[in-house]
Amino acid sequence: MGKAELRIEIDQALLDEARALNIDVEALTVESLRAILDEKRVNLASAEKARQWASENAEAIALHRERIDRHGVFGEDVRTW
């Protein structure tokens, strides 16, 4: 995979401090971007799984809601709050 050039602006004092501490800003940027992308991919995959589950179980969910509308929530008659 080739590399693309990216121009960013950063506070000079911050960059100087990072360099003084031997922090590889380029590597840190790449690592951070990869971590953020991985997190986003996981979130997207989880959201898709949730949508798929809801779609596959839509009929059961609707029946459950109808039952609650008709009969109320279990234990509602003894609830004190």
Side-chain angles (χ1 to χ4, degrees), residues 7-65:
R7 182 180 179 280
I8 63 171
E9 293 185 17
I10 188 169
D11 182 85
Q12 187 63 50
L14 189 62
L15 184 58
D16 292 343
E17 186 175 358
R19 285 180 176 158
L21 295 171
N22 294 317
I23 295 173
D24 184 345
V25 176
E26 181 182 349
L28 180 63
T29 302
V30 170
E31 290 170 15
S32 297
L33 186 56
R34 282 191 176 129
I36 290 168
L37 289 171
D38 287 345
E39 182 180 334
K40 295 286 186 181
R41 287 183 194 116
V42 167
N43 290 341
L44 288 172
S46 295
E48 179 55 34
K49 282 183 182 179
R51 278 191 293 277
Q52 183 179 354
W53 182 90
S55 175
E56 291 170 356
N57 293 282
E59 184 179 354
I61 293 168
L63 290 171
H64 179 68
R65 287 181 179 156

